[in-house]
Amino acid sequence: MSDVTVRLVLAAAVMAVSLVMASSASPSSSSPSAPSHDYGDALRKSLLYFEAQRSGRLPYNQRVRWRAHSGLTDGLEQGVDLVGGYYDAGDHVKFGLPMAFTVTMLSWSIIEYGDQVAAAGELVHALQSIKWGTDYFMKAHTAPNELWTQVGDGDSDHYCWQRPEDMTTSRRAYKVDAEHPGSEVAAETAAAMAAASIVFRNAGDAHYAHLLLHHAQQLFEFADKYRGRYHESVRVVKSFYPSSSGYKDELLWAALWLHRATGSRRYLDYAVDNADDFGGTGWGVSEFSWDIKYSGLQVLASKLLLEEKDLSSEQRLVLEQYRSKAEFYVCSNMNKNPGGAARNAPRTPAGLLFIRAWNNLQYVTNAAFLITVHSDLLSSLGEPLRCLPDDDADTSDTGGEAAAEVVVPAAEVLAFAKFQADYILGTNPAETSYLVGYGEKYPRQVHHRAASTASVKQEKGFIGCAQGFDDWYSAGGDNPHDLVGAVVGGPDGKDRFRDERGMYIHTEACTYNTAPMVGVLSRFMEIQRQQGEQDL
């Protein structure tokens, strides 16, 4: 199916999506009385957030003016230039695994919805957000089998409440190499650079795309040849970003991105040949995150059924198995899997996905993105979502009868993604937008050192570790600066939210929360525009 045909199919689905959104009374779609949202405004603000998270020497066109240069000696002690990159959240450690995942998701958002981002006038800012990460990754990849994966120490950092410009905590750097492997972080960085290479190639920067792809291929070979758990080599990361799923999901994920970036069959063969042994066609899970990539790679693999024209029968069979697990994920999030709670993701009373208490909205934004992408695939194929019963389920309570398959129209799938996005933007019991700066009511006490402290440009005096806690962290009232575009951790399992700096499991924001929202907001901005044209 050509790109033009795909666009026509997706456009034809807009009216169906609109009807589903307007008619459904379930928590899987917006209610008729729910306010409409300005997705374009939310998109513009989401991209602004990444500028607030920059480490290093800030450029002349920096829009977040209350930030200044920081981390200018990163890597100096180890004799390597590690200036740049992103702080992951409200602290000042540069953690390689979540940073790479952030860049992968930003890149995927632009690959899928770059035309919409360009239509909003935000493509330049999106490219800059990606490049700020990939420039750093190229610095950090100092040899074919060597990747610097962390700068700073999480323990000492968390004892200080300082602006990044005042940091006095350790800036020691840590790496993985052949003797101390870290397959998760090396493979995720390979995925990020491969995905970014597609973005820059499409943007006309062939030279930069080539550099990224060179690094991506080397990093994948390193991750695969020297297999080992990231947190076992870099032990200081274990309390913050340990890998619970292991590295096999990242290896499959990186292979699929390299296939998409290069067209090389060897990467597709890798994902097909290792699909069973690595769990790609065996693991059906209900979450997608910086740690657990199975659902993401399964959705990515499913797209090959549409995009690849020359698949062998074996490859198609394996890709269909990937798709089956992708649809388990979508069905689970929509509460459509036959079999009850054990096979479906939990939700709050108001319908928000609730995977974990700590920073739950990271799972919601990732789910909204994957479900949006998969709904587009279903529309392109002209097929519904099929939620299958568990073949091994106990049927004693149903008189020996197996549960029936549940069939869900593609428009309803997209409507569910919209419901989750709208909840984040303020259509929720608290009537609070969890994307900072969007709407009339949003978190004002985000758990974030820089945003909660006076700008170094206004108050040039040094702020020490304890002083920051005494004068700023413990101070009542709103932060001096809105962390515009940040998606915070969000409400608890009963839809309750307390806007307090000390409630960090709810008020801290992370780069990987916002990254998938770039794609989600772009998609719904397009639908909103098309609906407006139809109303004329």
Side-chain angles (χ1 to χ4, degrees), residues 189-228:
T189 308
M193 298 179 95
S197 75
I198 301 172
V199 172
F200 285 98
R201 185 180 67 221
N202 292 343
D205 193 341
H207 174 68
Y208 192 66
H210 176 75
L211 284 176
L212 291 172
L213 203 52
H214 174 71
H215 282 278
Q217 290 173 311
Q218 281 193 347
L219 282 165
F220 177 75
E221 295 302 321
F222 166 44
D224 189 41
K225 182 176 180 180
Y226 299 99
R227 296 181 185 176

Side-chain angles (χ1 to χ4, degrees), residues 454-488:
S455 171
V456 70
K457 296 180 179 180
Q458 297 172 333
E459 188 168 314
K460 298 184 183 298
F462 174 78
I463 297 176
C465 281
Q467 180 188 357
F469 277 111
D470 293 339
D471 294 352
W472 297 101
Y473 178 84
S474 301
D478 299 343
N479 288 348
H481 316 287
D482 282 337
L483 192 63
V484 175
V487 175
V488 298

Side-chain angles (χ1 to χ4, degrees), residues 101 188 249-250 253 288-297:
F101 179 69
E188 183 60 60
D249 50 339
E250 276 87 7
W253 171 249
F288 173 55
S289 67
W290 59 266
D291 177 21
I292 301 176
K293 308 293 165 39
Y294 282 111
S295 300
L297 72 90

